[in-house]
Amino acid sequence: DVDRALEVILARNPLPGVTGYVCTHLCQERCTRNNYDQPVAIRALKRFAAEKGRVSFRPATDTGYRVAIIGSGPSGLAAAFFLALNGVKPTIYEQRDKPGGMLSIAPVFRLPESVVQDDIGRIEQLGVDIRLSHPVTVPPETLLEEGFDAVYIGSGTQGSGRLGIEGEDGTGVHQALDLLERVGRGERPDLGRRVLVIGGGNTAMDAARTARRLTGGQVTVVYRRTQSEMPASEEEVEALFDEGIGLEELASPQRVLLEDGRVVGLECVRNVLGEPGPDGRRRPTPVAGSAFQLPADAVIVAIGQRAEVGFLEGSTVSRRRDGTIVVDPATGAAGVERVYAGGDVVRGPAIIIEACADGRRAAESICRQLGVPFALPAVQFPTLSEEEIVRVKRNRARRAAQQRESLLEPAQRLGFNLVVQTLTEDAARTEANRCLQCSSFCDKCVEVCPNRANYTVTVTPVSLTLPRLSCRGTALTVVGGDPFRVAQPRQIIHVDDLCNSCGNCATFCVHQGKPYLDKPRLFLRRDDFEREEENAFYVEREGERWTIWRREEGRTSSLVVADGEMVFEDEWLRVRLSAEWRVREMVLKEPFAGEHSLLSAAEMAVVLEGIVTSMPFLPLEHGEL
């Protein structure tokens, strides 16, 4: 069901097409299948779903709030997407005549322009206003004065780094970003037959592969460290070599050689790698007397990018020496009230998913500051039947090779045709069946615990509205309801008495959790339970009467289940409830301010059900299971 798959992807990722082509797919590094054979090809499946699926979201009701976004790259687009979904009207200001930021200059043999435009078009359909050829020349404080309720700076790092060596301004020396943009517009610059590309990042790889297609001649990447230290992705380096492009390692440019103002070569010096620098990589140290020359008709400089933030002149937004903006990492706040920033203008050149994450984080912070409830689109993962769980377990016991996307043969990569092809439908189905359904059924923390401290329990899925209570003088009253939903019948309970905090479950958790801390922690002895401050449970039984105790924020509460009803009690109140969670009796023990939710009581009921139905072997301190 590609439509449903795309719906799930789009609910968290505003650029499913783009990331289906060029994402660094860090998610695949966390895939459970790595422990068996090879990860599920998540990026390739995302690309298939984006191309075949048809899904769109509607914006929430307009709240009347307006946010200015500077830059239409991945970060700005993500912020606009999540703001629009929550009823906040974004206006994006883009200095170029094409939206997308760095995406708009990506080589079409890696990322077709139509894919970028499809993703952007979907965002525009939410009511996002993108104003092209509209550079921002005033500080964000001015935009606030003009009526915007908040500003998000996502202007990226559009400036090119310079070598600072003799001959750099000669004819035939090109900046990588400028070259890629020109080629993206259909130009075909004459680079001659011998091209040197200086740099080791993904932009350098794009520039080198583009130059190879433009010239059909000799292209060499010049890098001051070795291949193993190159920041470019492994896939891009492999493609570089597949296409016959060379690498000159441990070479630092010293001078661009010119004749009559034109490039004829590059003088370099050999390096050795010394002690690690602040970034952890060993510093290149020049070797005395090791100068050498490389002939060239053109030199492409791809040594880094810088933030161009001239519009911040006069602003109190805090910046680093390199021009990047300092923000609160938890919110994206940029030091000025109602001004936020994210993406490369904060991080320096980074990856698309990090930029998108910054945009989403800032959108949530902006909504919170404006008093707008923030929510992601609701998606429902399938609940696996027992038969399907057996099939997944069978898959876990067998190796299955990853379905790989077909590649254009290196000999055919003379033009700008797409190199990596989309999976066929048969291949996509086969690859999707390799998924071990960790989002619905995982048990990894159970499998890897050497002390058997984690247990799978079965509970009844439920969806109901719990009464919310308020204190009115000396009486309690129901003032509303809180939705409570348990979708998955399989849950995990952690028996803390058996745990030695080895961290195995955290290491192998596919959800980046820490099950020994995150899952409900059951204690078998009352005195151990009472010493805990957070996430602690204790169970007692007297005949058919069950009591579960809980510790949160240093406070104790209890839930008694007997005779078809429940009694919840904490330091403020005592409430008797039917099995359907209808209030039968309420007693105020201590006045409290605000409202009181019974969500904690419902969670206690779920934990107790799991213990009673799935852990008959449990040695209770009082009573028998």
Side-chain angles (χ1 to χ4, degrees):
D1 186 348
V2 292
D3 288 348
R4 185 173 184 182
L6 181 57
E7 181 182 20
V8 172
I9 296 167
L10 192 58
R12 303 295 184 269
N13 177 2
L15 302 172
V18 166
T19 51
Y21 274 80
V22 296
C23 182
T24 49
H25 56 70
L26 299 180
C27 54
Q28 292 181 200
E29 295 180 8
R30 300 289 298 186
C31 177
T32 301
R33 280 220 80 105
N34 281 303
N35 302 325
Y36 297 81
D37 36 52
Q38 299 161 305
V40 174
I42 299 172
R43 183 181 66 187
L45 291 174
K46 185 187 300 181
R47 172 173 167 176
F48 181 86
E51 290 188 3
K52 307 297 182 182
R54 293 293 178 269
V55 173
S56 61
F57 291 132
R58 294 182 178 179
T61 303
D62 189 355
T63 61
Y65 291 114
R66 299 167 59 233
V67 173
I69 296 176
I70 302 172
S72 68
S75 187
L77 291 170
F81 176 80
F82 290 109
L83 286 169
L85 284 178
N86 287 277
V88 178
K89 175 72 174 177
T91 299
I92 299 178
Y93 294 101
E94 170 56 52
Q95 66 176 347
R96 289 192 171 102
D97 59 2
K98 289 173 62 177
M102 296 297 292
L103 303 177
S104 67
I105 65 173
V108 295
F109 56 80
R110 282 212 306 132
L111 178 62
E113 184 180 0
S114 60
V115 172
V116 178
Q117 296 310 315
D118 284 348
D119 278 353
I120 294 175
R122 194 183 296 111
I123 294 171
E124 288 182 299
Q125 288 174 6
L126 293 174
V128 175
D129 181 15
I130 302 179
R131 301 185 182 181
L132 302 176
S133 301
H134 200 131
V136 172
T137 59
V138 296
E141 291 91 336
T142 301
L143 295 174
L144 295 173
E145 293 170 0
E146 292 174 354
F148 285 103
D149 299 291
V151 176
Y152 181 69
I153 305 171
S155 51
T157 49
Q158 304 292 333
S160 298
R162 289 179 58 83
L163 293 166
I165 61 176
E166 181 185 340
E168 185 175 10
D169 296 321
T171 302
V173 179
H174 304 267
Q175 292 293 335
L177 296 182
D178 178 63
L179 177 73
L180 292 173
E181 183 172 12
R182 291 171 60 193
V183 173
R185 295 181 181 278
E187 297 181 35
R188 295 295 181 263
D190 182 7
L191 302 179
R193 297 288 296 173
R194 298 171 301 180
V195 180
L196 301 176
V197 179
I198 303 171
N202 285 330
T203 299
M205 302 302 103
D206 282 345
R209 297 175 67 191
T210 298
R212 174 70 170 163
R213 286 159 172 77
L214 291 174
T215 66
Q218 178 184 342
V219 178
T220 302
V221 172
V222 179
Y223 185 55
R224 60 181 183 159
R225 292 186 173 94
T226 67
Q227 179 185 336
S228 60
E229 281 89 21
M230 291 174 69
S233 69
E234 184 177 339
E235 286 178 310
E236 290 304 298
V237 176
E238 288 179 4
L240 188 85
F241 295 140
D242 286 345
E243 294 171 12
I245 298 170
L247 172 63
E248 188 74 40
E249 298 177 303
L250 294 170
S252 289
Q254 299 296 296
R255 179 166 61 105
V256 178
L257 303 176
L258 305 176
E259 285 186 7
D260 298 326
R262 286 197 60 87
V263 171
V264 295
L266 182 68
E267 184 175 288
C268 300
V269 65
R270 288 292 178 198
N271 297 321
V272 293
L273 295 181
E275 294 299 317
D279 60 358
R281 294 187 298 166
R282 290 186 295 166
R283 296 177 184 272
T285 303
V287 177
S290 63
F292 65 101
Q293 295 181 353
L294 297 170
D297 300 312
V299 172
I300 302 173
V301 181
I303 61 167
Q305 297 152 223
R306 67 176 189 275
E308 293 186 333
V309 288
F311 60 90
L312 290 180
E313 190 68 33
S315 173
T316 56
V317 168
S318 179
R319 286 173 282 169
R320 302 180 184 89
R321 186 174 299 176
D322 63 0
T324 55
I325 297 173
V326 179
V327 301
D328 180 340
T331 64
V336 176
E337 187 177 3
R338 295 184 291 146
V339 176
Y340 300 80
D344 291 359
V345 76
V346 169
R347 299 174 177 271
I351 56 179
I352 293 171
I353 54 174
E354 289 178 325
C356 289
D358 288 351
R360 169 176 153 180
R361 184 182 303 113
E364 183 173 0
S365 299
I366 290 169
C367 286
R368 187 184 304 116
Q369 185 176 53
L370 297 177
V372 175
F374 181 87
L376 299 172
V379 293
Q380 184 174 352
F381 290 98
T383 300
L384 301 183
S385 66
E386 287 302 317
E387 180 181 346
E388 289 169 325
I389 289 175
V390 170
R391 179 177 62 79
V392 171
K393 286 186 175 182
R394 187 178 296 116
N395 286 347
R396 290 181 179 182
R398 290 166 171 78
R399 291 181 176 177
Q402 184 189 83
Q403 297 290 308
R404 296 188 178 275
E405 301 151 304
S406 60
L407 304 177
L408 198 64
E409 291 295 327
Q412 298 176 303
R413 301 182 198 178
L414 301 177
F416 286 80
N417 292 331
L418 190 63
V419 172
V420 181
Q421 308 302 305
T422 303
L423 291 174
T424 65
E425 182 172 342
D426 286 345
R429 289 185 181 278
T430 300
E431 184 61 20
N433 283 327
R434 294 181 67 242
C435 177
L436 301 180
Q437 301 298 321
C438 297
S439 61
S440 301
F441 157 60
C442 178
D443 283 6
K444 179 57 66 177
C445 58
V446 177
E447 296 167 358
V448 303
C449 179
N451 301 312
R452 301 295 188 264
N454 298 321
Y455 290 88
T456 301
V457 300
T458 302
V459 301
T460 305
V462 64
S463 181
L464 50 84
T465 300
L466 300 172
R468 191 180 337 117
L469 310 178
S470 179
C471 174
R472 304 286 174 86
T474 59
L476 287 170
T477 183
V478 176
V479 294
D482 292 310
F484 178 74
R485 181 171 177 266
V486 176
Q488 297 182 7
R490 299 175 66 85
Q491 300 290 331
I492 303 295
I493 288 179
H494 175 77
V495 181
D496 201 82
D497 301 64
L498 306 180
C499 178
N500 66 353
S501 301
C502 71
N504 244 28
C505 57
T507 298
F508 288 94
C509 180
V510 300
H511 304 290
Q512 296 186 334
K514 295 182 178 179
Y516 73 104
L517 297 176
D518 301 337
K519 299 300 182 182
R521 296 192 302 148
L522 177 65
F523 290 81
L524 301 181
R525 290 187 291 268
R526 183 64 181 260
D527 56 348
D528 290 340
F529 161 77
E530 290 179 345
R531 280 193 289 267
E532 296 297 316
E533 294 290 315
E534 297 287 343
N535 187 23
F537 296 85
Y538 176 76
V539 173
E540 293 180 346
R541 180 183 182 185
E542 298 178 10
E544 297 303 314
R545 173 191 172 97
W546 290 89
T547 303
I548 181 168
W549 304 81
R550 181 175 191 174
R551 293 275 291 168
E552 291 289 344
E553 298 180 350
R555 297 186 173 96
T556 302
S557 58
S558 65
L559 183 73
V560 178
V561 180
D563 302 324
E565 67 176 19
M566 300 172 288
V567 177
F568 173 73
E569 186 170 0
D570 61 19
E571 62 186 276
W572 294 290
L573 50 80
R574 182 177 183 274
V575 181
R576 188 161 61 91
L577 301 145
S578 70
E580 295 77 27
W581 292 88
R582 295 190 181 92
V583 175
R584 288 179 172 173
E585 181 184 11
M586 298 183 292
V587 176
L588 179 65
K589 297 169 60 178
E590 184 74 28
F592 58 87
E595 298 175 349
H596 200 305
S597 171
L598 293 182
L599 287 173
S600 178
E603 292 168 353
M604 294 166 72
V606 172
V607 172
L608 180 61
E609 181 192 7
I611 293 170
V612 172
T613 60
S614 304
M615 302 177 73
F617 50 83
L618 196 67
L620 297 184
E621 188 176 24
H622 298 286
E624 295 182 357
L625 198 60

